[in-house]
Amino acid sequence: MGVDNFPPMLVLRRRSRPGEWLIQGFLLLCALLSILTTLGIVVVLGRESWLFFGDEAVTLSEFLTSTTWQPAIGHFGVWPLLNATLMTTTIAMLVAIPLGLGVAIYLSEYAAPHVHDFLKPTLEVLAGIPTVVYGYFALTFMTPLLQNLFGRETVEIYNTASAGLVMGIMILPLIASLSEDALRAVPRSLREAAYALGATPLETSTQVVLPAALSGISAAIILGISRAIGETMIVSIAAGAGPSFTLNPFEAAETMTGHIARISGGDLSYNTIDYNSIFALGMTLFIFTFSLNLISRIIVERFREVYE
Amino acid sequence: MLIENPLMEARQVTLYYGASEALRDVTLQAAPHQITALIGPSGCGKSTMLRCFNRMNDLIPHVRLSGQILYRTHDLYHPDIDPVEVRRKIGMVFQKPNPFPKSIYENVAWGARLNGYRGNMDELVERCLRQAALWDEVQDQLRKSALALSGGQQQRLCIARTIATEPEVILMDEPCSALDPIATLRIEDLMRELKERYTIIIVTHNMQQAARVSDYTAMMMLTDDRAAGTIIEFGETQRLFTTPSDRRTEDYITGRFG
């Protein structure tokens, strides 16, 4: 049978396969498109930032050191905005990292299969909620809650704590889900080795599985931080409008993203210094997230393949 | 046959993975300071049987076991028994070397520390590595990653790590199947030395290995309905290999099986 079903001639000559070429070209195009987009963004950000810093009212040293951002009177110090971004991000990560890791360890090491199969999709639904919903959740639930806990006179209506906490809740499933994938990827044989030595489940997960999954977990955390830095809607709604330099998380402050969103939504005319300033902020944001990505790459590279 | 005063004993053990039966009515004894080998074709439940002795099967969901696993006078599957404590007394070496992605030193020290070892750790690490016949090769590189070692060295490190928790029994699940013949012979020599201090139960695919190192051998096979594994013959290794009483054992050890 078998052989008789093939054409009788043995032909080994190279054939042209136009379909292969077409697909390959298309895929290359997709890859190039995203690279070109990124390049385009960098070019635009760079050009407008150049114009901004070229203006005589602005100096780079003021931008980097001053704690006043008042475009109306020509003060362009990035610190009030940067500080608000760092505060909301820190608060968010204080929520998202421990809780996210806890969830991940529970799901991968403790949860029975049917519990896992129910919890993980549920958690991922949490990641699909639009950020505007989270924003109003912060404003109408978290802020009153904080006010009840710490007193109305301490907690302003708009404050970075509320926005940060809710942002943490939003990022939690991202960190939990990615970390769980990393934990699951740790070979069973390592867990068995630990158990066979008389380790408890807690000792096994914290001292053997967690260190082995460290590269994936740190990548998840960095991704979470990038997400927190770039988050706009929640902070626009709940953190406050108007740059102010404060270290008190119960006071209103405006993050870089929140400021960009507010200013660009208004009647900003092209090529004014205000207009250019938001590109400088965009550039700062870009540098931040880009460095974080770079750091995560280095971390992953360093810890890669710790287990076979 | 029956052994007087066995250290470990399986009595009429039947085990299910979910709905499928893996072991049926297995009875087996392991004499102290002897090596007991489990041999038999693939898929007949040798590893499953071995994993009953330190409750390693607990890690697999939906496992049910009936019958008794006795260690001295304790029934290991009694509800009052803590599997963590069981595994501290009954260690295990796996088929594929699985050192932790930590340093050589830490691989040995980790388990001992968990088990509350308070003595001089450097001394313990050296003693265990010497017992596992690995010290001479690694004494200058204790801080290096265990994953940098060869497969045979890794397996000896796993043995050293097991010894460090001071178990009384060591279970070995085809410890040489991933190793070359020279590394295999080293592990076999090591097993002969270790039985002075420990009781060893080993699963092996390699009949010559069973004949070379073990004192007692259990021949496992699928039951006639091919549903589950069971022991068809158990006895002193020398007797079992020279005058097997079961026709199937004879066919298997002479290579006529199947």
Side-chain angles (χ1 to χ4, degrees):
Chain A
M1 289 277 278
V3 174
D4 299 339
N5 292 330
F6 287 103
M9 286 282 285
L10 178 66
V11 183
L12 298 178
R13 190 163 44 82
R14 186 187 289 278
R15 282 189 218 183
S16 74
R17 296 186 172 83
E20 286 289 327
W21 284 105
L22 213 67
I23 288 294
Q24 209 178 344
F26 174 72
L27 294 177
L28 181 68
L29 197 74
C30 295
L32 285 180
L33 205 65
S34 58
I35 293 175
L36 285 177
T37 314
T38 313
L39 277 180
I41 291 173
V42 174
V43 166
V44 171
L45 281 178
R47 194 184 59 208
E48 304 290 332
S49 308
W50 186 258
L51 289 176
F52 172 72
F53 288 113
D55 195 291
E56 54 204 14
V58 182
T59 62
L60 185 60
S61 69
E62 192 208 3
F63 183 78
L64 291 178
T65 56
S66 166
T67 55
T68 323
W69 180 276
Q70 281 178 316
I73 54 169
H75 287 304
F76 293 98
V78 78
W79 275 103
L81 303 171
L82 185 59
N83 178 59
T85 294
L86 293 180
M87 271 175 56
T88 49
T89 302
T90 309
I91 294 167
M93 296 325 281
L94 286 177
V95 174
I97 293 175
L99 289 184
L101 281 184
V103 170
I105 291 175
Y106 173 74
L107 282 178
S108 90
E109 308 301 311
Y110 291 91
H114 64 276
V115 178
H116 175 270
D117 292 347
F118 169 75
L119 273 184
K120 190 151 192 199
T122 313
L123 199 69
E124 278 160 1
V125 167
L126 207 58
I129 296 174
T131 51
V132 65
V133 176
Y134 279 111
Y136 282 100
F137 176 69
L139 191 61
T140 61
F141 177 81
M142 191 57 82
T143 301
L145 184 72
L146 291 175
Q147 284 182 329
N148 286 338
L149 283 175
F150 299 100
R152 246 161 231 287
E153 56 290 344
T154 334
V155 182
E156 295 181 7
I157 293 198
Y158 297 103
N159 63 78
T160 45
S162 167
L165 289 173
V166 171
M167 213 150 81
I169 295 171
M170 177 194 76
I171 293 166
L172 190 159
L174 175 86
I175 292 189
S177 187
L178 290 177
S179 303
E180 200 238 343
D181 292 342
L183 291 171
R184 289 219 153 206
V186 174
R188 236 178 91 97
S189 63
L190 279 186
R191 293 185 180 85
E192 290 191 335
Y195 283 119
L197 290 172
T200 62
L202 184 68
E203 287 160 345
T204 304
S205 43
T206 56
Q207 297 179 35
V208 173
V209 183
L210 203 65
L214 207 61
S215 79
I217 289 172
S218 49
I221 290 173
I222 300 282
L223 205 62
I225 296 176
S226 305
R227 181 90 194 270
I229 290 178
E231 171 51 35
T232 309
M233 196 48 98
I234 298 176
V235 290
S236 298
I237 294 171
S244 70
F245 185 80
T246 172
L247 291 173
N248 183 346
F250 293 139
E251 285 177 12
E254 192 170 50
T255 66
M256 291 195 284
T257 52
H259 183 75
I260 293 174
R262 184 168 61 88
I263 296 298
S264 60
D267 49 357
L268 211 52
S269 46
Y270 178 70
N271 235 349
T272 59
I273 187 162
D274 291 16
Y275 175 83
N276 290 337
S277 76
I278 64 177
F279 285 91
L281 291 177
M283 192 72 185
T284 315
L285 270 177
F286 180 81
I287 289 171
F288 257 83
T289 45
F290 184 76
S291 334
L292 276 173
N293 273 317
L294 219 59
I295 292 169
S296 74
R297 234 164 219 281
I298 292 167
I299 291 175
V300 169
E301 199 62 38
R302 176 162 308 165
F303 291 106
R304 207 166 50 135
E305 290 183 337
V306 273
Y307 54 85
E308 285 172 282
Chain B
M1 73 164 276
L2 287 176
I3 293 171
E4 277 176 48
N5 301 320
L7 185 67
M8 294 210 78
E9 187 174 1
R11 276 192 197 160
Q12 287 156 356
V13 169
T14 295
L15 183 140
Y16 282 87
Y17 289 123
S20 72
E21 191 180 14
L23 295 175
R24 185 184 297 169
D25 196 24
V26 178
T27 294
L28 173 69
Q29 292 164 317
H33 298 285
Q34 301 284 303
I35 298 177
T36 306
L38 295 175
I39 62 168
S42 297
C44 71
K46 303 183 297 293
S47 294
T48 303
M49 185 63 238
L50 192 73
R51 286 161 162 264
C52 291
F53 285 116
N54 67 343
R55 293 195 54 172
M56 223 45 194
N57 286 326
D58 289 20
L59 305 179
I60 301 163
H62 311 303
V63 166
R64 282 177 297 133
L65 180 139
S66 65
Q68 284 181 314
I69 301 285
L70 297 175
Y71 166 55
R72 292 178 176 275
T73 55
H74 305 281
D75 176 3
L76 295 187
Y77 280 81
H78 191 278
D80 289 346
I81 296 283
D82 183 350
V84 170
E85 297 302 327
V86 169
R87 295 182 200 122
R88 290 181 177 184
K89 295 310 290 178
I90 303 167
M92 187 166 218
V93 176
F94 297 85
Q95 183 170 359
K96 201 163 146 251
N98 55 354
F100 298 119
K102 304 177 189 285
S103 69
I104 294 170
Y105 183 96
E106 193 54 30
N107 260 278
V108 182
W110 191 75
R113 207 180 293 127
L114 284 190
N115 286 274
Y117 179 76
R118 292 279 170 274
N120 184 329
M121 192 58 85
D122 293 354
E123 237 170 63
L124 178 82
V125 170
E126 178 174 344
R127 178 158 52 83
C128 295
L129 286 171
R130 278 189 193 282
Q131 273 192 53
L134 187 61
W135 175 254
D136 294 340
E137 292 155 64
V138 301
Q139 55 174 317
D140 302 325
Q141 37 178 342
L142 294 177
R143 300 286 160 195
K144 258 175 66 178
S145 167
L147 299 181
L149 298 175
S150 73
Q153 290 173 324
Q154 286 187 7
Q155 197 62 303
R156 276 176 282 149
L157 179 63
C158 291
I159 292 172
R161 166 177 88 178
T162 303
I163 296 170
T165 64
E166 302 278 348
E168 191 169 13
V169 182
I170 300 178
L171 308 174
M172 295 185 165
D173 189 355
E174 296 184 45
C176 303
S177 68
L179 307 182
D180 68 34
I182 296 164
T184 299
L185 285 178
R186 295 208 63 165
I187 303 269
E188 287 179 9
D189 288 341
L190 182 57
M191 286 166 63
R192 282 186 208 99
E193 283 167 35
L194 290 175
K195 78 173 189 182
E196 304 297 322
R197 301 170 57 100
Y198 310 96
T199 300
I200 297 175
I201 306 177
I202 178 180
V203 164
T204 178
H205 259 123
N206 181 333
M207 255 133 359
Q208 285 85 350
Q209 180 170 63
R212 281 194 300 262
V213 299
S214 74
D215 303 292
Y216 292 91
T217 298
M219 173 72 202
M220 287 189 74
M221 247 187 179
L222 287 178
T223 49
D224 292 335
D225 57 0
R226 309 195 64 79
T230 194
I231 287 180
I232 57 166
E233 188 170 358
F234 175 58
E236 281 173 38
T237 299
Q238 193 154 19
R239 203 273 304 153
L240 189 132
F241 273 86
T242 48
T243 50
S245 55
D246 192 298
R247 182 61 198 263
R248 292 168 295 177
T249 308
E250 190 180 345
D251 286 350
Y252 187 74
I253 58 180
T254 53
R256 273 204 303 267
F257 187 80

